[in-house]
């Protein structure tokens, strides 16, 4: 994943809007396809059911009382995503699927976010620390969106192709996002590096391992891992994912 290209930042004579459109409808397929193959090669990801099949992962593993929640609803459908903020595939999923699902299913589903920073992404943990520090001031949703909406600025190297290793630059941008959302910056800095925040991230990773997570993004719908199966296009991904949500909503 660390060497996935991101054409959003490649130089071109096309306008930014056109480039973004191309990324969404074409490049996302490549990135999604790569993560699908990666995840299918991981532990315990085989199934025949469209939402993961097999036994559901226990709710107490997937969600803790202090887990961050993007949207809340009566406990009919709970979506839990284990993610890495610097993961190119996670950013693509956010861009073409989960950001819009969050809006379209607001009030219908509970959407839980868990941390699973991968060692191949050097800024994934600092980003998770920023998200958790913002959460302690009641601004998790805002920081979650800021990290992904500004992904190219902090997560990618200057070549626009590889993931960045520039932690100082990333932390400076995290500070900007924190200031824009009105956070106490001194507290934000203290919390980012606090034992509490680091323990929270470690606990998320431990739960992800218990749940069989081997790559990111890994998503569970009502305890069962979303089966990415033979999905190859953005349209197929959206149809499959929304189909599972709709099926669970009418149970």
């Amino acid at each position: 994943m660390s060497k996935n290209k991101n054409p959003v930042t490649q130089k071109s004579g096309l306008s930014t809007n056109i480039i973004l459109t191309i990324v969404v409808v074409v490049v996302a397929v490549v990135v999604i396809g790569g993560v699908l193959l990666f995840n299918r090669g991981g532990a315990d990801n085989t199934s025949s059911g469209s939402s993961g099949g097999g036994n559901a992962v226990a709710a107490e593993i997937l969600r803790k009382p202090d887990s961050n929640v993007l949207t809340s609803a009566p406990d009919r459908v709970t979506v839990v995503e284990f993610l890495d903020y610097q993961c190119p595939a996670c950013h693509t999923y956010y861009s073409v699927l989960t950001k819009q699902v969050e809006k379209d299913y607001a009030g219908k589903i509970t959407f839980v976010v868990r941390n699973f920073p991968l060692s191949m992404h050097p800024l994934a943990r600092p980003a998770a620390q920023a998200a958790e520090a913002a959460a302690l001031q009641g601004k998790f949703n805002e920081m979650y969106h800021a990290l992904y909406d500004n992904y190219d600025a902090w997560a990618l190297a200057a070549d626009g192709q590889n993931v960045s290793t520039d932690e100082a630059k990333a932390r400076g941008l995290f500070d900007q996002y924190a200031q824009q959302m009105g956070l106490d910056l001194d507290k934000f800095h203290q919390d980012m590096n606090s034992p509490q925040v680091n323990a929270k991230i470690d606990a998320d990773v431990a739960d992800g391992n218990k749940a069989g997570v081997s790559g990111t993004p890994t998503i569970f719908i009502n305890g069962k891992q979303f089966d990415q199966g033979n999905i190859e296009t953005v349209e197929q991904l959206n149809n499959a994912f929304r189909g599972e949500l709709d099926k669970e909503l009418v149970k």
Side-chain angles (χ1 to χ4, degrees):
M1 289 183 184
S2 63
K3 294 186 181 299
N4 279 357
K5 295 184 178 181
N6 191 324
V8 173
T9 61
Q10 292 177 347
K11 299 300 182 182
S12 168
L14 298 176
S15 70
T16 300
N17 287 338
I18 293 175
I19 293 173
L20 290 175
T21 300
I22 293 172
V23 170
V24 169
V25 300
V26 178
V27 177
V29 175
V30 176
V31 179
I32 289 172
V35 78
L36 295 177
L37 292 174
F38 179 81
N39 280 350
R40 283 205 296 273
D44 198 25
N45 281 327
T46 58
S47 69
S48 58
S50 56
S51 62
N55 297 324
V57 177
E60 58 266 26
I61 293 177
L62 293 179
R63 182 183 181 185
K64 292 294 191 289
D66 63 348
S67 292
N68 295 309
V69 177
L70 293 172
T71 64
S72 297
D75 291 332
R76 292 170 59 193
V77 179
T78 298
V79 174
V80 179
E81 180 179 10
F82 286 85
L83 56 77
D84 169 323
Y85 288 102
Q86 199 179 14
C87 167
C90 292
H91 174 244
T92 299
Y93 265 61
Y94 171 82
S95 300
V96 304
L97 177 66
T98 57
K99 182 179 182 179
Q100 194 60 45
V101 163
E102 180 189 345
K103 296 177 182 178
D104 293 346
Y105 287 82
K108 297 180 181 179
I109 67 172
T110 298
F111 198 143
V112 180
V113 174
R114 305 293 301 274
N115 298 293
F116 204 80
L118 301 171
S119 59
M120 67 181 72
H121 300 139
L123 303 182
R125 190 173 184 95
Q129 291 172 322
E132 293 298 337
L136 292 176
Q137 297 190 50
K139 296 289 185 177
F140 170 77
N141 286 26
E142 290 83 351
M143 185 60 77
Y144 163 88
H145 286 292
L147 291 171
Y148 276 137
D149 288 339
N150 297 284
Y151 179 87
D152 294 350
W154 67 268
L156 292 180
D159 62 9
Q161 300 177 7
N162 298 311
V163 294
S164 174
T165 61
D166 191 341
E167 185 171 343
K169 177 184 176 182
R171 287 183 179 272
L173 289 170
F174 299 162
D175 282 356
Q176 290 182 25
Y177 309 151
Q179 289 176 316
Q180 289 167 2
M181 58 190 71
L183 299 186
D184 179 327
L185 202 57
D186 287 338
K187 176 173 170 52
F188 177 70
H189 289 158
Q190 292 172 3
D191 288 338
M192 274 190 71
N193 300 304
S194 69
Q196 178 183 357
V197 161
N198 283 298
K200 171 77 177 301
I201 296 170
D202 291 341
D204 280 1
V205 172
D207 283 342
N209 288 328
K210 291 176 185 176
V213 175
S214 59
T216 57
T218 297
I219 305 176
F220 296 84
I221 300 175
N222 278 354
K224 293 189 177 182
Q225 185 174 326
F226 173 59
D227 182 6
Q228 299 154 337
N230 296 317
I231 294 171
E232 297 179 350
T233 70
V234 172
E235 182 179 9
Q236 289 173 349
L237 176 67
N238 270 282
N239 289 342
F241 192 81
R242 290 168 183 266
E244 286 302 322
L245 294 181
D246 293 341
K247 184 170 68 176
E248 294 295 319
L249 283 168
V250 299
K251 282 185 177 181

